[in-house]
Amino acid sequence: MVWPVRVGTLPQLASAFQPRPGLTMRIDRAGAGHTTAGLTQVLTGGGGVGKSQFAAACAHQALMAGTELVVWVNAAKTDQVVTGYATAALRVQAPGAEGQDAESDARAFLDWLAGTSRSWLVVLDDLTALDDISPWWPPPSPAGDGRVLVTTRRREAVLSGGGRAVIEVDTYTPAEALAYLCGRFTGAHMPHLLDHQAEEVGQELGRLPLALAHAAAYMINEDVPCTRYLELFADHQSGLETLLPRHADTEGYGRQVTAALLLALEAAQQCEPAGLAAPALRLAAHLDPAGHPEDLWTSALFTGYLTVHRTPLSASPDTAPPTRVSSEQGRAVLRLLHRYALLTRDPQGRHRAVRMHALTARAVRETSPRLDISAAVLSAADGLTDIWPQVDHTEPDLCAVLRANTETLAGHAGDELWQFGCHPVLSLAGRSLYNAGLFAAAVHHWRRLVADSERLLGEDQSGTLTARTSLVASYAAAGRTGEAITLGERVVADCERLLGEGHPDTLTARNNLAISYEDAGRTVEATRLLERVVADRERPLGEDHPDTLMAQYNLSTSYWEAGRTGEAITLLERVIVGYERLLGEDHLDALSARGSTVAFGVARELTRRSWADRRGLAARGSLAARGNLAVYYWEAGRMAEAIALGEQVVAGYGQLLGEDHLDTLGARTVLADFYRNAGRTGEAMPLLEQVAAGYERLLGEDHPDTLDARATLADFYRNAGRTAEAIALGERVVVDCERLRGEDHPDTLAVRSHLGVAYHKAGRTAEAITLLERVVVDCERLLGEDHPDTLAVRSHLGIAHHKAGRTAEAITLLEQVAADCERLLGEDHPHTLGARTVLADFYRNAGRTGETIALEERIVTDPG
């Protein structure tokens, strides 16, 4: 690591930047009343007063003074803050930051700030979402060399909390306004523009830095001195007063700012490529002020819009039809707008190369005709759709920027994006949130789309059903199983009513509902529903259709979950044959279609992720099905076949995707489990430790798959007799699950149960009983008394009671568990047999010989 480090696109200082000594003095005075270690300064004020430029000057000065880390974050949206922190985490090599999960990396960066002895400055520019920023405030600097600088238009009291110093930023003083114009004209080698009316120019423009920048750019480009500029300005006042009255501008700048803007725009319209500046600016005005990709300006959809909406410079009836605007002209108009300071083009800005001040954008939107706005909105949406990557994980940073731009566009567009149904860019953004693992944000997005679709298209329209289906998927991925089931049942009923029993969308809805039933432990209902889906798929599509194979695949997992191992194996072998016949044994080109983990051997995870992106599912299904077949072989006691097939699958993933790919790690997890259960612990443990380290490196410490890998490793430690390591890791996993997933999440209950078992094996019986009793109560409350997880925890609690010598309580619990398993799962289910075996052992230790013999005879003669 070479210090100093700069993260983010640090704005360059404007030409003739003014140091503003009065503002500097107020900032220093505000900082003097706060401890250095906790110094956070908030620059607040209206748009265009120069907050960001002043913050940029502070950042440049910090670098010159030797500050070791300077981070510039566009903070208009909380996810941009998270993304900025995540980038910084990778640059400083913060422990736990691996570039796969933005939130995890962002937390790693905050932890790094809290512990580093390095000097640092973090700038949060244009902070807007005050309600969501609370978890992301940078921590105090332990060495006293850290500083946070914030710019925002907001003035809420929360900004002054936490020891933060709030400084109001106003417009230039008269002297600063004059000095700005003098420096700007001198720097451009055009000092003759600064005549005796220069002070009046500043006064007329309200000494607003943004307005002065527009005016100066216009005067330089057009060689117009101050006196002439004032005359032109006066000529536009009457028309602009009608076009944008003062009360239309809630920022309080009225016609002064807009007049300066439109005067420059009028000049830009006359420059080559003539007639394109205004329509181009309308496009940019609807995108994220923090920046959008320059590629938009050369896309066919953008240039097509510019062709249609190019403003003719002549009203002659003989004017020829407009020629197609080329991609080079798209770049040329971008450079033109940059030259006139109507937007900023930064070739080093990567995906945010083109930025437009929010105040400028707002002025353009509010002064454009309604029809032009509508066309610009749709063209901007089309352009974003056009450049969206086919697969999100190939360019995650670009996708994050596109999501931010889509959100901004949707906020400005109102109902314009619903003229012809839901615009594809809205669905793309929702799927992208899902694929990025931002499940809470995906739920929020799809809920909003469902509400808009119901209002604008109607509750029974097909697009509304599609949006509800995506919301069901997001609920399920976020662990909100109850809501997924409630809405999923409604979607199934609506599809049956509106589309018919056999419609593909109806079958998909039933399939998704069945997976949610499985997540809720309602295995019988899930199996019945999936059997129906398979029959309905086979009838019109045939046995070898990809949708039929996927339905059979899902049904095989349901059979497995229900303990119907033989049927699961038979069906899955049939699925693999179908995939190989359809695609070929080595047809795996879609395995890399998305960077999300296929949880090898856990079919519901594969299916759950397939809701968000079904492209390539059939192609990767063959290898995934082989992995599940290996698991089924193991369940059936065919250990040698399971291990051989598992090793083949691991090798296949490694060869095709690389040793560090998430799917390869998932396959290794299952193989490690095979090794452990076959007594090959020496091979299993290093493999799983490698897997846990790989997930942490690739996804970050707080990613769900990392937590699952740690939980599995703790379970391995426990079964290998390494109880101290099992407890240490298990306690960490419990804390992390409670923090990240919530105390009532099913996964949190599961890891608490595993920790209780580890306590029991370590001889810490009292702690085991206390923890397991809590888990039993929580499982009964959250999952229901008949849920398989509830039965399992009761069994563990009974064993702990027995270990503590509380034999009567142990027997009572296991009798209940055995009866419930027989009632719910059937007499031959492995869980039922297991419960009876433990109960027989309890009877024997209690001296209840007759009951022991009767139960063991039943176990021996049971065909299972």
Side-chain angles (χ1 to χ4, degrees), residues 214 221 264-265 268-269 276-282 284 297 330-345 354 356:
H214 286 308
N221 288 336
L265 179 58
Q269 274 284 83
L276 291 181
L281 206 61
R282 282 195 288 271
W297 293 77
R331 294 189 188 93
V333 70
L334 176 58
R335 293 192 294 270
L336 172 66
L337 294 171
H338 175 81
R339 191 167 74 245
Y340 273 85
L342 293 166
L343 50 71
T344 300
R345 174 181 176 266
V354 183
M356 186 176 185

Side-chain angles (χ1 to χ4, degrees), residues 78 170 602 721 862:
T78 304
D170 205 344
V602 184
D862 197 302

